mmCIF file of all heavy atoms in Angstrom:
data_model
loop_
_atom_site.group_PDB
_atom_site.id
_atom_site.type_symbol
_atom_site.label_atom_id
_atom_site.label_comp_id
_atom_site.label_asym_id
_atom_site.label_seq_id
_atom_site.Cartn_x
_atom_site.Cartn_y
_atom_site.Cartn_z
ATOM 1 N N GLY D 99 -7.868 8.420 12.576
ATOM 2 C CA GLY D 99 -8.737 9.535 12.225
ATOM 3 C C GLY D 99 -8.083 10.862 12.417
ATOM 4 O O GLY D 99 -8.231 11.760 11.606
ATOM 5 N N LEU D 100 -7.259 11.032 13.466
ATOM 6 C CA LEU D 100 -6.528 12.270 13.705
ATOM 7 C C LEU D 100 -5.472 12.465 12.601
ATOM 8 O O LEU D 100 -5.277 13.584 12.150
ATOM 9 C CB LEU D 100 -5.906 12.265 15.080
ATOM 10 C CG LEU D 100 -6.876 12.363 16.249
ATOM 11 C CD1 LEU D 100 -6.151 12.109 17.567
ATOM 12 C CD2 LEU D 100 -7.526 13.753 16.256
ATOM 13 N N ALA D 101 -4.809 11.385 12.212
ATOM 14 C CA ALA D 101 -3.816 11.510 11.138
ATOM 15 C C ALA D 101 -4.504 11.898 9.821
ATOM 16 O O ALA D 101 -3.950 12.718 9.064
ATOM 17 C CB ALA D 101 -3.077 10.164 10.974
ATOM 18 N N HIS D 102 -5.696 11.390 9.620
ATOM 19 C CA HIS D 102 -6.435 11.745 8.389
ATOM 20 C C HIS D 102 -6.832 13.231 8.442
ATOM 21 O O HIS D 102 -6.739 13.937 7.425
ATOM 22 C CB HIS D 102 -7.682 10.868 8.249
ATOM 23 C CG HIS D 102 -8.444 11.120 7.015
ATOM 24 N ND1 HIS D 102 -7.976 10.777 5.762
ATOM 25 C CD2 HIS D 102 -9.638 11.691 6.816
ATOM 26 C CE1 HIS D 102 -8.860 11.135 4.852
ATOM 27 N NE2 HIS D 102 -9.889 11.717 5.484
ATOM 28 N N LEU D 103 -7.292 13.690 9.600
ATOM 29 C CA LEU D 103 -7.619 15.125 9.738
ATOM 30 C C LEU D 103 -6.405 16.002 9.467
ATOM 31 O O LEU D 103 -6.487 17.036 8.819
ATOM 32 C CB LEU D 103 -8.161 15.393 11.174
ATOM 33 C CG LEU D 103 -9.528 14.853 11.522
ATOM 34 C CD1 LEU D 103 -9.863 15.142 12.985
ATOM 35 C CD2 LEU D 103 -10.601 15.360 10.604
ATOM 36 N N ALA D 104 -5.246 15.579 9.949
ATOM 37 C CA ALA D 104 -4.005 16.330 9.706
ATOM 38 C C ALA D 104 -3.660 16.376 8.224
ATOM 39 O O ALA D 104 -3.228 17.373 7.703
ATOM 40 C CB ALA D 104 -2.861 15.688 10.492
ATOM 41 N N GLU D 105 -3.906 15.228 7.565
ATOM 42 C CA GLU D 105 -3.542 15.130 6.140
ATOM 43 C C GLU D 105 -4.400 16.033 5.265
ATOM 44 O O GLU D 105 -3.914 16.708 4.376
ATOM 45 C CB GLU D 105 -3.677 13.670 5.700
ATOM 46 C CG GLU D 105 -3.147 13.410 4.310
ATOM 47 C CD GLU D 105 -3.090 11.950 3.983
ATOM 48 O OE1 GLU D 105 -3.895 11.156 4.553
ATOM 49 O OE2 GLU D 105 -2.278 11.587 3.172
ATOM 50 N N VAL D 106 -5.704 16.070 5.577
ATOM 51 C CA VAL D 106 -6.620 16.875 4.761
ATOM 52 C C VAL D 106 -6.736 18.311 5.227
ATOM 53 O O VAL D 106 -7.313 19.169 4.556
ATOM 54 C CB VAL D 106 -8.033 16.215 4.665
ATOM 55 C CG1 VAL D 106 -7.953 14.890 3.966
ATOM 56 C CG2 VAL D 106 -8.688 16.152 5.985
ATOM 57 N N GLY D 107 -6.173 18.592 6.409
ATOM 58 C CA GLY D 107 -6.179 19.933 6.952
ATOM 59 C C GLY D 107 -7.508 20.351 7.601
ATOM 60 O O GLY D 107 -7.795 21.524 7.794
ATOM 61 N N PHE D 108 -8.281 19.380 7.968
ATOM 62 C CA PHE D 108 -9.605 19.643 8.588
ATOM 63 C C PHE D 108 -9.498 19.553 10.116
ATOM 64 O O PHE D 108 -9.800 18.529 10.696
ATOM 65 C CB PHE D 108 -10.641 18.630 8.048
ATOM 66 C CG PHE D 108 -12.050 18.913 8.491
ATOM 67 C CD1 PHE D 108 -12.714 20.036 8.066
ATOM 68 C CD2 PHE D 108 -12.672 18.086 9.416
ATOM 69 C CE1 PHE D 108 -14.005 20.293 8.493
ATOM 70 C CE2 PHE D 108 -13.943 18.341 9.830
ATOM 71 C CZ PHE D 108 -14.642 19.447 9.357
ATOM 72 N N TYR D 109 -9.013 20.619 10.698
ATOM 73 C CA TYR D 109 -8.874 20.653 12.148
ATOM 74 C C TYR D 109 -8.867 22.110 12.605
ATOM 75 O O TYR D 109 -8.670 23.045 11.821
ATOM 76 C CB TYR D 109 -7.602 19.968 12.597
ATOM 77 C CG TYR D 109 -6.334 20.539 11.989
ATOM 78 C CD1 TYR D 109 -5.677 21.607 12.543
ATOM 79 C CD2 TYR D 109 -5.797 19.965 10.824
ATOM 80 C CE1 TYR D 109 -4.568 22.159 11.973
ATOM 81 C CE2 TYR D 109 -4.658 20.480 10.256
ATOM 82 C CZ TYR D 109 -4.048 21.562 10.834
ATOM 83 O OH TYR D 109 -2.931 22.107 10.250
ATOM 84 N N ARG D 110 -9.091 22.290 13.896
ATOM 85 C CA ARG D 110 -9.048 23.628 14.495
ATOM 86 C C ARG D 110 -7.908 23.610 15.550
ATOM 87 O O ARG D 110 -8.053 22.995 16.604
ATOM 88 C CB ARG D 110 -10.392 23.956 15.142
ATOM 89 C CG ARG D 110 -10.439 25.361 15.740
ATOM 90 C CD ARG D 110 -11.805 25.683 16.256
ATOM 91 N NE ARG D 110 -12.778 25.643 15.108
ATOM 92 C CZ ARG D 110 -13.995 25.224 15.203
ATOM 93 N NH1 ARG D 110 -14.471 24.784 16.363
ATOM 94 N NH2 ARG D 110 -14.782 25.242 14.173
#
Side-chain angles (χ1 to χ4, degrees):
L100 290 169
H102 184 69
L103 291 177
E105 189 172 27
V106 298
F108 185 69
Y109 57 85
R110 184 174 298 143

